[in-house]
Amino acid sequence: MSYLVAVMVVVAAALVPVSTGKTYIVGDSLGWTVPPEGVVAYSDWASRHKFMAGDILDYEEEDQMQTTSNKPFTAAFDPSNPLGFLEKVFEFVARESDLFKSDSLIKDVSAVVRMVKEKVEVEEKKRKELKAERIVRAEKKLKEDPLLATEVKKKELEPEVMEEEKGSDAKEEEKNGPRAPNKGNGLDMDKYSWGQSLQEVNVVVPVPPGTKSRFIVCEFKKNYLKVGLKGHPPVIDGELFQPIKVDDSFWSLEDQKSVSILLTKQNQMEWWKYLVKGEPEINIQKVEPETSKLSDLDAETRSTVEKMMFDQRQKSMGLPTSDEMQKQEMLKKFMAEHPEMDFSGAKVC
């Protein structure tokens, strides 16, 4: 309809009588095309010319003229309005190509959309499958080793301590108070080391390679421990921090290189601050309940296990899970970006 109006305007203007014929290119450099400003472009063009009878109007088609602008596409993508971005894309394509002149335009565009949609669905399916596999691995780890759950809960409830601060605290404690425990929840001394769980204490005393068991001196009583080599001053000789179960304690010579001693605690609800009286104390507030096993997992499985435990704890307390919290944050951000919209009935699904 708009084209018809434009033609009528041009034809009407051409009816002004004149004796000499002249050829006009309709629209001049614009040519005969879909004008960006609408049909008013041709009305303005006609008003700038005085046509006479006998003049020739040449409707030069767009493909006969050099109309390619090589103008770059500059529209910005707004995730909250993707269709608006597509509209800009189609307008740009319409200006810079003949795509919208094709009779199969709708069919061709639909085919492209369908192809992209299928690709996205395949990628989403793969992502969900990988996520499901990680969850299965994590659940298997939890079933095989319940200690993982204990450690994850502990890590969630305790604030993270910076590595630098931990190192600084350890040095300060070493000078002025209890020392930070080693990985075994005990202490590494000059001539031996010891570690502990709530149930038992493990002591390792290195000996010269090739040492025979008959040269070992290892005596333990309810409140006393002595370890060393015959004919030499004992390496350990003193009163234990707390009583042990003598009948459930023993020692062995490992590869003729070290003496390994296991002492079973009588009180299995308390951590030892030291092995024998007189040696430095450890800071029992920094003792790990069990040897860390979560760190043995790969990064993805560990992350999944921690997320599962966090979500379980949140649900038990009636609080949102990590996924629900993420959706709430996205909704808040969208609401902040669109204050003109009414979100009174919005819900997070």
PDB file of all heavy atoms in Angstrom, residues 35-55:
ATOM      1  N   PRO A  35      12.347   2.428   1.420  1.00  0.00           N
ATOM      2  CA  PRO A  35      13.090   3.544   2.025  1.00  0.00           C
ATOM      3  C   PRO A  35      13.168   3.402   3.535  1.00  0.00           C
ATOM      4  O   PRO A  35      12.173   3.050   4.175  1.00  0.00           O
ATOM      5  CB  PRO A  35      12.269   4.779   1.626  1.00  0.00           C
ATOM      6  CG  PRO A  35      10.883   4.250   1.424  1.00  0.00           C
ATOM      7  CD  PRO A  35      11.036   2.851   0.887  1.00  0.00           C
ATOM      8  N   PRO A  36      14.325   3.646   4.133  1.00  0.00           N
ATOM      9  CA  PRO A  36      14.485   3.533   5.594  1.00  0.00           C
ATOM     10  C   PRO A  36      13.541   4.461   6.357  1.00  0.00           C
ATOM     11  O   PRO A  36      13.072   4.132   7.432  1.00  0.00           O
ATOM     12  CB  PRO A  36      15.949   3.929   5.827  1.00  0.00           C
ATOM     13  CG  PRO A  36      16.616   3.708   4.507  1.00  0.00           C
ATOM     14  CD  PRO A  36      15.578   4.004   3.467  1.00  0.00           C
ATOM     15  N   GLU A  37      13.243   5.667   5.782  1.00  0.00           N
ATOM     16  CA  GLU A  37      12.392   6.622   6.486  1.00  0.00           C
ATOM     17  C   GLU A  37      10.920   6.468   6.138  1.00  0.00           C
ATOM     18  O   GLU A  37      10.075   7.235   6.602  1.00  0.00           O
ATOM     19  CB  GLU A  37      12.821   8.066   6.157  1.00  0.00           C
ATOM     20  CG  GLU A  37      14.268   8.393   6.500  1.00  0.00           C
ATOM     21  CD  GLU A  37      15.206   7.981   5.386  1.00  0.00           C
ATOM     22  OE1 GLU A  37      14.716   7.484   4.357  1.00  0.00           O
ATOM     23  OE2 GLU A  37      16.439   8.134   5.548  1.00  0.00           O
ATOM     24  N   GLY A  38      10.561   5.515   5.264  1.00  0.00           N
ATOM     25  CA  GLY A  38       9.175   5.347   4.854  1.00  0.00           C
ATOM     26  C   GLY A  38       8.898   6.062   3.530  1.00  0.00           C
ATOM     27  O   GLY A  38       9.787   6.652   2.912  1.00  0.00           O
ATOM     28  N   VAL A  39       7.625   6.028   3.088  1.00  0.00           N
ATOM     29  CA  VAL A  39       7.272   6.571   1.768  1.00  0.00           C
ATOM     30  C   VAL A  39       7.473   8.080   1.686  1.00  0.00           C
ATOM     31  O   VAL A  39       7.518   8.651   0.599  1.00  0.00           O
ATOM     32  CB  VAL A  39       5.807   6.229   1.438  1.00  0.00           C
ATOM     33  CG1 VAL A  39       5.637   4.734   1.322  1.00  0.00           C
ATOM     34  CG2 VAL A  39       4.875   6.785   2.491  1.00  0.00           C
ATOM     35  N   VAL A  40       7.607   8.726   2.855  1.00  0.00           N
ATOM     36  CA  VAL A  40       7.811  10.174   2.825  1.00  0.00           C
ATOM     37  C   VAL A  40       9.099  10.532   2.080  1.00  0.00           C
ATOM     38  O   VAL A  40       9.247  11.652   1.568  1.00  0.00           O
ATOM     39  CB  VAL A  40       7.854  10.729   4.274  1.00  0.00           C
ATOM     40  CG1 VAL A  40       9.111  10.258   4.996  1.00  0.00           C
ATOM     41  CG2 VAL A  40       7.808  12.254   4.265  1.00  0.00           C
ATOM     42  N   ALA A  41      10.040   9.577   2.006  1.00  0.00           N
ATOM     43  CA  ALA A  41      11.287   9.835   1.283  1.00  0.00           C
ATOM     44  C   ALA A  41      11.015  10.150  -0.181  1.00  0.00           C
ATOM     45  O   ALA A  41      11.631  11.051  -0.779  1.00  0.00           O
ATOM     46  CB  ALA A  41      12.223   8.633   1.409  1.00  0.00           C
ATOM     47  N   TYR A  42      10.053   9.450  -0.807  1.00  0.00           N
ATOM     48  CA  TYR A  42       9.729   9.691  -2.215  1.00  0.00           C
ATOM     49  C   TYR A  42       8.888  10.955  -2.382  1.00  0.00           C
ATOM     50  O   TYR A  42       8.978  11.655  -3.399  1.00  0.00           O
ATOM     51  CB  TYR A  42       9.017   8.478  -2.799  1.00  0.00           C
ATOM     52  CG  TYR A  42       9.926   7.279  -2.923  1.00  0.00           C
ATOM     53  CD1 TYR A  42       9.735   6.156  -2.144  1.00  0.00           C
ATOM     54  CD2 TYR A  42      10.986   7.295  -3.824  1.00  0.00           C
ATOM     55  CE1 TYR A  42      10.574   5.065  -2.238  1.00  0.00           C
ATOM     56  CE2 TYR A  42      11.840   6.211  -3.928  1.00  0.00           C
ATOM     57  CZ  TYR A  42      11.634   5.099  -3.137  1.00  0.00           C
ATOM     58  OH  TYR A  42      12.476   4.030  -3.238  1.00  0.00           O
ATOM     59  N   SER A  43       8.064  11.265  -1.373  1.00  0.00           N
ATOM     60  CA  SER A  43       7.295  12.516  -1.431  1.00  0.00           C
ATOM     61  C   SER A  43       8.234  13.706  -1.409  1.00  0.00           C
ATOM     62  O   SER A  43       8.076  14.677  -2.163  1.00  0.00           O
ATOM     63  CB  SER A  43       6.333  12.579  -0.244  1.00  0.00           C
ATOM     64  OG  SER A  43       5.414  11.510  -0.287  1.00  0.00           O
ATOM     65  N   ASP A  44       9.250  13.637  -0.518  1.00  0.00           N
ATOM     66  CA  ASP A  44      10.231  14.714  -0.449  1.00  0.00           C
ATOM     67  C   ASP A  44      11.014  14.841  -1.752  1.00  0.00           C
ATOM     68  O   ASP A  44      11.314  15.949  -2.231  1.00  0.00           O
ATOM     69  CB  ASP A  44      11.199  14.481   0.719  1.00  0.00           C
ATOM     70  CG  ASP A  44      10.510  14.616   2.060  1.00  0.00           C
ATOM     71  OD1 ASP A  44       9.427  15.212   2.100  1.00  0.00           O
ATOM     72  OD2 ASP A  44      11.074  14.109   3.067  1.00  0.00           O
ATOM     73  N   TRP A  45      11.347  13.659  -2.311  1.00  0.00           N
ATOM     74  CA  TRP A  45      12.106  13.684  -3.575  1.00  0.00           C
ATOM     75  C   TRP A  45      11.301  14.338  -4.685  1.00  0.00           C
ATOM     76  O   TRP A  45      11.793  15.172  -5.448  1.00  0.00           O
ATOM     77  CB  TRP A  45      12.480  12.252  -3.965  1.00  0.00           C
ATOM     78  CG  TRP A  45      13.127  12.158  -5.329  1.00  0.00           C
ATOM     79  CD1 TRP A  45      14.415  12.394  -5.638  1.00  0.00           C
ATOM     80  CD2 TRP A  45      12.466  11.847  -6.555  1.00  0.00           C
ATOM     81  NE1 TRP A  45      14.639  12.236  -6.978  1.00  0.00           N
ATOM     82  CE2 TRP A  45      13.441  11.904  -7.579  1.00  0.00           C
ATOM     83  CE3 TRP A  45      11.156  11.536  -6.904  1.00  0.00           C
ATOM     84  CZ2 TRP A  45      13.143  11.659  -8.911  1.00  0.00           C
ATOM     85  CZ3 TRP A  45      10.848  11.281  -8.225  1.00  0.00           C
ATOM     86  CH2 TRP A  45      11.830  11.344  -9.225  1.00  0.00           C
ATOM     87  N   ALA A  46      10.009  14.000  -4.754  1.00  0.00           N
ATOM     88  CA  ALA A  46       9.153  14.551  -5.810  1.00  0.00           C
ATOM     89  C   ALA A  46       8.969  16.056  -5.645  1.00  0.00           C
ATOM     90  O   ALA A  46       8.898  16.808  -6.629  1.00  0.00           O
ATOM     91  CB  ALA A  46       7.798  13.857  -5.791  1.00  0.00           C
ATOM     92  N   SER A  47       8.916  16.525  -4.368  1.00  0.00           N
ATOM     93  CA  SER A  47       8.700  17.960  -4.130  1.00  0.00           C
ATOM     94  C   SER A  47       9.907  18.802  -4.533  1.00  0.00           C
ATOM     95  O   SER A  47       9.787  20.015  -4.717  1.00  0.00           O
ATOM     96  CB  SER A  47       8.378  18.191  -2.647  1.00  0.00           C
ATOM     97  OG  SER A  47       9.506  17.873  -1.847  1.00  0.00           O
ATOM     98  N   ARG A  48      11.065  18.129  -4.661  1.00  0.00           N
ATOM     99  CA  ARG A  48      12.281  18.871  -5.028  1.00  0.00           C
ATOM    100  C   ARG A  48      12.455  19.007  -6.548  1.00  0.00           C
ATOM    101  O   ARG A  48      13.430  19.580  -7.011  1.00  0.00           O
ATOM    102  CB  ARG A  48      13.510  18.176  -4.425  1.00  0.00           C
ATOM    103  CG  ARG A  48      13.574  18.218  -2.912  1.00  0.00           C
ATOM    104  CD  ARG A  48      14.963  17.839  -2.409  1.00  0.00           C
ATOM    105  NE  ARG A  48      15.371  16.522  -2.851  1.00  0.00           N
ATOM    106  CZ  ARG A  48      15.148  15.396  -2.176  1.00  0.00           C
ATOM    107  NH1 ARG A  48      14.489  15.463  -1.026  1.00  0.00           N
ATOM    108  NH2 ARG A  48      15.551  14.230  -2.648  1.00  0.00           N
ATOM    109  N   HIS A  49      11.533  18.419  -7.305  1.00  0.00           N
ATOM    110  CA  HIS A  49      11.642  18.454  -8.772  1.00  0.00           C
ATOM    111  C   HIS A  49      10.356  19.027  -9.396  1.00  0.00           C
ATOM    112  O   HIS A  49       9.263  18.850  -8.827  1.00  0.00           O
ATOM    113  CB  HIS A  49      11.904  17.050  -9.335  1.00  0.00           C
ATOM    114  CG  HIS A  49      13.208  16.459  -8.895  1.00  0.00           C
ATOM    115  ND1 HIS A  49      13.381  15.927  -7.640  1.00  0.00           N
ATOM    116  CD2 HIS A  49      14.394  16.327  -9.540  1.00  0.00           C
ATOM    117  CE1 HIS A  49      14.618  15.469  -7.525  1.00  0.00           C
ATOM    118  NE2 HIS A  49      15.260  15.716  -8.678  1.00  0.00           N
ATOM    119  N   LYS A  50      10.531  19.660 -10.537  1.00  0.00           N
ATOM    120  CA  LYS A  50       9.377  20.152 -11.292  1.00  0.00           C
ATOM    121  C   LYS A  50       9.285  19.341 -12.575  1.00  0.00           C
ATOM    122  O   LYS A  50      10.121  19.448 -13.462  1.00  0.00           O
ATOM    123  CB  LYS A  50       9.543  21.644 -11.618  1.00  0.00           C
ATOM    124  CG  LYS A  50       8.325  22.245 -12.293  1.00  0.00           C
ATOM    125  CD  LYS A  50       8.509  23.733 -12.485  1.00  0.00           C
ATOM    126  CE  LYS A  50       7.273  24.336 -13.136  1.00  0.00           C
ATOM    127  NZ  LYS A  50       7.423  25.810 -13.349  1.00  0.00           N
ATOM    128  N   PHE A  51       8.300  18.475 -12.627  1.00  0.00           N
ATOM    129  CA  PHE A  51       8.170  17.561 -13.752  1.00  0.00           C
ATOM    130  C   PHE A  51       7.278  18.159 -14.839  1.00  0.00           C
ATOM    131  O   PHE A  51       6.297  18.861 -14.544  1.00  0.00           O
ATOM    132  CB  PHE A  51       7.591  16.225 -13.269  1.00  0.00           C
ATOM    133  CG  PHE A  51       8.419  15.545 -12.213  1.00  0.00           C
ATOM    134  CD1 PHE A  51       8.052  15.628 -10.877  1.00  0.00           C
ATOM    135  CD2 PHE A  51       9.564  14.857 -12.547  1.00  0.00           C
ATOM    136  CE1 PHE A  51       8.797  15.028  -9.894  1.00  0.00           C
ATOM    137  CE2 PHE A  51      10.325  14.248 -11.567  1.00  0.00           C
ATOM    138  CZ  PHE A  51       9.945  14.334 -10.239  1.00  0.00           C
ATOM    139  N   MET A  52       7.618  17.838 -16.058  1.00  0.00           N
ATOM    140  CA  MET A  52       6.862  18.314 -17.221  1.00  0.00           C
ATOM    141  C   MET A  52       6.364  17.121 -18.026  1.00  0.00           C
ATOM    142  O   MET A  52       6.901  16.017 -17.921  1.00  0.00           O
ATOM    143  CB  MET A  52       7.760  19.202 -18.110  1.00  0.00           C
ATOM    144  CG  MET A  52       8.347  20.409 -17.379  1.00  0.00           C
ATOM    145  SD  MET A  52       7.066  21.579 -16.905  1.00  0.00           S
ATOM    146  CE  MET A  52       8.069  22.823 -16.083  1.00  0.00           C
ATOM    147  N   ALA A  53       5.363  17.397 -18.839  1.00  0.00           N
ATOM    148  CA  ALA A  53       4.859  16.340 -19.718  1.00  0.00           C
ATOM    149  C   ALA A  53       5.971  15.923 -20.666  1.00  0.00           C
ATOM    150  O   ALA A  53       6.662  16.760 -21.244  1.00  0.00           O
ATOM    151  CB  ALA A  53       3.639  16.842 -20.496  1.00  0.00           C
ATOM    152  N   GLY A  54       6.147  14.642 -20.812  1.00  0.00           N
ATOM    153  CA  GLY A  54       7.200  14.124 -21.674  1.00  0.00           C
ATOM    154  C   GLY A  54       8.430  13.675 -20.915  1.00  0.00           C
ATOM    155  O   GLY A  54       9.320  13.022 -21.478  1.00  0.00           O
ATOM    156  N   ASP A  55       8.494  14.037 -19.598  1.00  0.00           N
ATOM    157  CA  ASP A  55       9.627  13.564 -18.777  1.00  0.00           C
ATOM    158  C   ASP A  55       9.514  12.063 -18.557  1.00  0.00           C
ATOM    159  O   ASP A  55       8.408  11.480 -18.539  1.00  0.00           O
ATOM    160  CB  ASP A  55       9.646  14.272 -17.423  1.00  0.00           C
ATOM    161  CG  ASP A  55      10.107  15.718 -17.551  1.00  0.00           C
ATOM    162  OD1 ASP A  55      10.618  16.076 -18.626  1.00  0.00           O
ATOM    163  OD2 ASP A  55       9.953  16.466 -16.554  1.00  0.00           O
TER     164      ASP A  55
END
